[in-house]
């Protein structure tokens, strides 16, 4: 079994870092044409250069804050302008913000719902005419913590659960159009997600040590492994795999 992504046009939000960046590099190995979306210019350019070296194809880089008005439209318009089609949309952009009902501002909820639900919803809506033409597919990135109740994770978990429900519903709506929609739910993965909480290095290590203690395998996943599952969901080998929620987490103990 070999993947065939040659000349497929693939949009990856969150392509500048972590899981999205590894996914981009892996798609580049199969000569895909990439549209990489992120906010950090140097990281985005770095990933793009890496992909170009691997595939020979120059990625389209779109530097936007996706939760700002007009950003999702820009992603789809620019991709169509450059590549004339869309085959796969990977909704990977996301962030972790800790919060509780009583101690957090409503802005935390709004931001997480925006990046984990509204943005994938709107990009799906805008990309769907193109995906219907190409009989393409969408891969959303959720979280293996969907079923867990952990202090501080309320807004994050609610937003990822909403994305999971959206995935199943969208899959049902688009199945007759030949468009698949799936969600990958990774466990704790070594990326910039925890660093972006703006805590110092010692606290990052402390967080990882505590999180590792909860994991069946007692180790953090590497983003490459999650990327492999994303490619598996996005490939054409399983045309009936849609509306699926695929977990990869090393047997987290609930
Ligand atoms: N790491 C984990 O343990 C883990 C576990 C389960 C699920 N996930 C999910 O996996 C996905 C990828 O996260 P990661 O772990 O790879 O973290 P990461 O290394 O921090 O990457 C997050 C990506 O999302 C982008 N992003 C965030 N907010 C954005 C916005 N408003 N507009 C545009 N881009 C935005 C970031 O762009 P810039 O850096 O350029 O700003 C970055 O490319 C997220 O949806 C996350 O919730 C991660």
């Amino acid at each position: 079994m070999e993947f065939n992504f040659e000349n497929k046009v693939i949009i990856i939000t969150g392509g500048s870092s972590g899981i999205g960046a590894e996914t981009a590099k892996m798609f580049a190995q199969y000569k895909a044409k990439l549209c990489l979306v992120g906010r950090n210019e140097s990281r985005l350019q770095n990933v793009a250069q890496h992909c170009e070296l691997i595939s020979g194809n120059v990625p389209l880089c779109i530097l936007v804050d996706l939760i700002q008005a007009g950003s999702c439209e820009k992603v789809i318009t620019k991709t169509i302008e450059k590549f004339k089609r869309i085959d796969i949309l990977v909704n990977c952009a996301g962030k972790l913000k800790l919060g509780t009902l009583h101690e957090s501002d409503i802005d935390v909820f709004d931001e997480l719902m925006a990046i984990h639900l509204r943005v994938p919803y709107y990009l799906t809506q805008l990309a769907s005419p193109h995906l219907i033409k190409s009989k393409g597919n969408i891969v959303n990135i959720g979280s293996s913590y969907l079923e867990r109740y952990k202090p501080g994770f309320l807004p994050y978990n609610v937003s990822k659960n909403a994305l999971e429900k959206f995935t199943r519903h969208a899959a049902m709506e688009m199945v007759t159009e030949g468009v698949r929609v799936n969600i990958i739910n990774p466990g704790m993965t070594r990326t910039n997600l925890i660093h972006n909480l703006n805590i110092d290095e010692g606290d990052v290590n402390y967080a990882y040590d505590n999180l590792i203690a909860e994991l069946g395998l007692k180790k953090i996943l590497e983003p490459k492994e999650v990327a492999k599952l994303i490619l598996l969901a996005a490939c054409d080998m399983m045309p009936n795999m849609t509306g699926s929620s695929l977990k990869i987490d090393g047997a987290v103990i609930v």
Side-chain angles (χ1 to χ4, degrees):
M1 273 200 309
E2 259 292 313
F3 289 137
N4 181 6
F5 294 112
E6 191 162 355
N7 292 328
K8 297 262 185 200
V9 176
I10 304 174
I11 299 174
I12 305 173
T13 70
S16 55
S17 177
I19 295 169
E22 284 306 323
T23 303
K25 291 175 198 167
M26 215 170 273
F27 275 128
Q29 286 174 18
Y30 295 95
K31 306 212 173 300
K33 293 179 174 169
L34 301 171
C35 166
L36 306 177
V37 185
R39 292 170 303 183
N40 182 310
E41 188 167 14
S42 62
R43 281 191 195 152
L44 195 64
Q45 289 303 337
N46 198 292
V47 177
Q49 279 165 15
H50 202 111
C51 292
E52 187 183 343
L53 270 178
I54 300 171
S55 69
N57 293 331
V58 183
L60 169 64
C61 289
I62 303 185
L63 203 62
V64 281
D65 182 340
L66 282 164
I67 67 179
Q68 295 303 314
S71 297
C72 292
E73 291 90 334
K74 187 171 176 185
V75 169
I76 302 302
T77 309
K78 293 268 172 210
T79 305
I80 292 298
E81 264 172 31
K82 181 168 165 96
F83 296 121
K84 317 285 180 230
R85 60 183 287 139
I86 300 170
D87 294 282
I88 296 165
L89 167 65
V90 181
N91 282 309
C92 187
K95 72 185 299 178
L96 179 59
K97 268 198 166 179
L98 300 176
T100 67
L101 264 183
H102 296 298
E103 288 161 15
S104 310
D105 206 277
I106 194 66
D107 292 353
V108 174
F109 173 85
D110 288 341
E111 188 181 352
L112 294 180
M113 288 302 275
I115 193 64
H116 295 149
L117 182 65
R118 191 180 191 281
V119 165
Y121 188 111
Y122 195 28
L123 284 174
T124 298
Q125 220 172 34
L126 295 169
S128 61
H130 307 287
L131 292 170
I132 289 168
K133 267 192 221 153
S134 64
K135 302 294 171 213
N137 73 84
I138 299 171
V139 183
N140 293 323
I141 310 305
S143 163
S144 75
Y145 276 49
L146 292 181
E147 299 298 332
R148 301 193 77 206
Y149 303 92
K150 203 171 164 55
F153 281 75
L154 192 156
Y156 182 82
N157 247 350
V158 166
S159 67
K160 290 293 189 182
N161 268 284
L163 179 64
E164 209 241 6
K165 287 287 170 274
F166 168 65
T167 302
R168 290 174 187 273
H169 223 292
M172 195 266 292
E173 275 198 15
M174 303 232 264
V175 71
T176 50
E177 308 284 1
V179 177
R180 297 184 302 114
V181 192
N182 293 295
I183 185 164
I184 304 293
N185 295 318
M188 187 44 62
T189 309
R190 197 174 304 278
T191 66
N192 285 311
L193 198 80
I194 290 191
H195 291 82
N196 289 341
L197 286 168
N198 289 330
I199 53 181
D200 65 38
E201 199 60 31
D203 289 336
V204 170
N205 293 334
Y206 178 79
Y208 275 129
D209 288 347
N210 274 286
L211 290 159
I212 285 171
E214 297 180 347
L215 306 179
L217 281 177
K218 303 279 179 255
K219 64 178 186 191
I220 305 276
L221 299 177
E222 294 303 325
K224 242 184 202 135
E225 191 175 344
V226 181
K228 283 182 198 162
L229 189 56
I230 294 172
L231 265 71
L232 198 63
C235 78
D236 291 334
M237 287 180 215
M238 291 154 295
N240 295 305
M241 192 178 81
T242 187
S244 297
S245 190
L246 306 165
K247 189 161 79 160
I248 171 165
D249 72 347
V252 168
I253 298 161
V254 182

